[in-house]
Amino acid sequence: MAFEAISREILIVLIGILALLIVSSIIAFLLTKFNREKDFSEVNARIKSWWVMAAVFTMAILINHNVSLIFLAFLCFLAFKEYLSLIPTNRAHRKILFWAYLSIPIQFFWIYIGWYGMFIIFIPVYMFLFLPIQMILIGENKGFLRTMGSVHWGLMIMVFGLSHLAYLLVLPGITGENGAAGAGLILYIVILTQCNDVAQFIWGKLLGKHKVIPRVSPNKTWEGLIGGIITTVGLALLLAPLLTPLTLKGTLFTGFLIGLTGFIGDVNISSLKRDLGIKDTGQTIPGHGGILDRVDSLTYTAPLFFHFIRYFYFT
């Protein structure tokens, strides 16, 4: 299996992730061994899942550019599929899902050839207009609005939003023969987004007293939100020189942007789960829930980070 050349900076970050996982595993092992009266099974399951997710993600961005695109397309497919499994649809309207799924490889084809204009309008414009036509041809009116609204919203969040991660690989001016710069940007946004989730959870557990939106996510607190944003800004300052072309002002802004919008993406999916009366979107990832439970924050942070960095740094 041929691996593409990667920059020394990306290698340093990957080694750092490996070291963090090793330390976390050792701590979890010690806690389990010396505190048998407490149950750390969920913690251990989460750490094992992080090992698998980190390994899969690292392999995807290291093997080659095309494998990275396929991996991200498959991630969009899994997220969209999991979402649709939660949404009740009229049996007569299920044929429309074929066209919705077909939009994923087409969207990633635009990314593969670097056609930004089509990438940015294909789902919000063409699929938005095309899918109702197919619904009309089916001839079943009952549940029309609910099905159309559900499918369009899912495509926008789980496919269009997440596909911005992939377009980082083909931004003009940053991808050489191996696309290493694009891989660095993806690594940057994914690490910051996931660490922001963890930081907000930890600060909320340690200091949380004041609820932000108790009716949507009762465990979210202002202390967790602010602590998570500060932590994310600090991590952004640490990683930006290694993975991005960001200036100091750009780094501070992206750290704040990811911290805040990661929270919004999280509670956005939490609202969906509240509406459906479920705790997790699935059981795909032990200790974490479903795919959507892990990429919820990225559905907001990925497109917003992409457009910020493209507009200010690569136009």
Side-chain angles (χ1 to χ4, degrees), residues 226-252:
I226 295 170
I229 291 175
I230 293 173
T231 302
T232 303
V233 170
L235 188 58
L237 290 169
L238 178 66
L239 295 180
L242 297 172
L243 301 174
T244 78
L246 292 169
T247 62
L248 177 59
K249 288 183 180 178
T251 301
L252 292 172

Side-chain angles (χ1 to χ4, degrees), residues 117-144:
M118 187 57 76
F119 158 77
I120 209 66
I121 68 170
F122 174 65
I123 290 177
V125 178
Y126 290 113
M127 290 304 296
F128 181 82
L129 298 175
F130 176 75
L131 289 180
I133 296 173
Q134 302 307 308
M135 294 279 284
I136 292 167
L137 292 176
I138 292 171
E140 174 60 58
N141 296 320
K142 185 177 181 181
F144 178 91

Side-chain angles (χ1 to χ4, degrees), residues 2-3 10-12 28-29 43 47 56 92 96 217 235 242 289 294:
F3 287 82
I10 290 179
L11 184 60
I12 290 172
F29 172 77
V43 174
I47 292 174
V56 171
I96 204 69
S217 187
L235 188 58
L242 297 172
R294 282 275 44 87

